Amino acid sequence: MGERGETLDERIARQRAQHSCLKRLDELMYCMTITNQLSKYYRDGQYDNCPERFNRWSTCLKMKLSKDHVALALEEKEWRESVSGEHVFMFKPQYREEAHKRYGVPLPRT
């Protein structure tokens, strides 16, 4: 048990939550650096205005300022938008339904 009577997993989760917006701000600031901008311009012929990183940072701030149920909904929405919907593994038929119920893995299209 930790200093506040919390387990190690709870302490790690709390610290991650405290620093998640700072990490996202750091990613946004890196995106705006001259190194990244010149690299993007050299490769693609245009500058990077960093919309994904800005959206991730603003969503994090909204989650911090919202009530718990709203924050969870925002987090789930952001997660759903970040995944392709295709799962890395092909589940055996007997496990497909369980993977769908537990983890939201889409059922294969037939």
Side-chain angles (χ1 to χ4, degrees), residues 69-80:
H69 67 281
V70 175
L72 288 173
L74 284 169
E75 185 176 25
E76 183 174 344
K77 181 182 178 217
E78 182 184 50
W79 178 79
R80 294 235 179 253

Side-chain angles (χ1 to χ4, degrees), residues 7 9-11 16 46:
T7 66
D9 290 335
E10 292 169 342
R11 198 167 113 213
R16 267 196 193 138
Q46 61 186 15

Side-chain angles (χ1 to χ4, degrees), residues 65-100:
L65 298 172
S66 300
K67 296 184 188 229
D68 287 342
H69 67 281
V70 175
L72 288 173
L74 284 169
E75 185 176 25
E76 183 174 344
K77 181 182 178 217
E78 182 184 50
W79 178 79
R80 294 235 179 253
E81 290 173 355
S82 72
V83 295
S84 66
E86 298 294 322
H87 202 274
V88 175
F89 301 106
M90 294 300 296
F91 289 96
K92 292 181 179 179
Q94 64 265 30
Y95 300 122
R96 285 182 188 151
E97 197 64 38
E98 180 182 355
H100 177 68

Side-chain angles (χ1 to χ4, degrees), residues 9 17 19-20 34 38 45 47 51 53 60 63 70-71 84-85 98 104:
D9 290 335
H19 298 295
S20 64
I34 191 73
L38 288 175
Y47 294 109
R53 291 175 183 91
C60 186
M63 287 189 306
V70 175
S84 66
E98 180 182 355

